[in-house]
Amino acid sequence: LFSTAMAARQDTSWSIVAFASDPSSSTRVASVHSQPWPVADDKKLRVSEKTVVVQIGGRKRCTVEVPSDLAGDALAQHVLSLAPVAKYVDGRVVRRAITPASANIVNFLLE
């Protein structure tokens, strides 16, 4: 059931879309295909922190948030200084810290 109000609204909508490239009209918008491609903002793409999974003896113990610029030995030392990890180490000697290239996981082998 098509009412005259719907017909009027539909005609108005289609006139905006169909004649969007007409520069003489002030109510019409520019067509999508003639718009410039969006530009990414590099500042908003940078992540300041990342989530790292902490394993001790091959078993997942916790996840922690660390600065995203840490990797390798610096990451392992920072993770060891955090309270959730310190309670699992509890004075035991860390024999080896394994941090893969992806640096989203740290595995500590204890004696």
Side-chain angles (χ1 to χ4, degrees):
L1 305 171
F2 197 68
S3 70
T4 55
M6 286 180 67
R9 187 172 43 207
Q10 183 180 16
D11 290 341
T12 305
S13 299
W14 276 110
S15 68
I16 292 171
V17 173
F19 302 106
S21 61
D22 181 21
S24 64
S25 176
S26 62
T27 60
R28 297 188 175 119
V29 296
S31 181
V32 171
H33 75 276
S34 65
Q35 297 298 312
W37 193 258
V39 178
D41 186 5
D42 290 336
K43 293 177 185 175
K44 293 181 181 176
L45 293 175
R46 291 192 183 106
V47 179
S48 62
E49 289 189 338
K50 64 182 177 181
T51 303
V52 174
V53 175
V54 179
Q55 289 184 339
I56 298 178
R59 302 179 106 192
K60 178 184 170 189
R61 300 299 180 180
C62 62
T63 58
V64 293
E65 294 289 324
V66 297
S68 62
D69 58 345
L70 290 178
D73 292 335
L75 175 64
Q77 291 300 320
H78 181 74
V79 169
L80 274 175
S81 68
L82 299 175
V85 180
K87 73 177 183 179
Y88 290 109
V89 175
D90 193 31
R92 295 170 27 193
V93 177
V94 176
R95 185 171 38 140
R96 186 172 176 196
I98 302 168
T99 55
S102 67
N104 292 333
I105 188 169
V106 178
N107 189 1
F108 295 106
L109 301 177
L110 305 177
E111 289 189 0

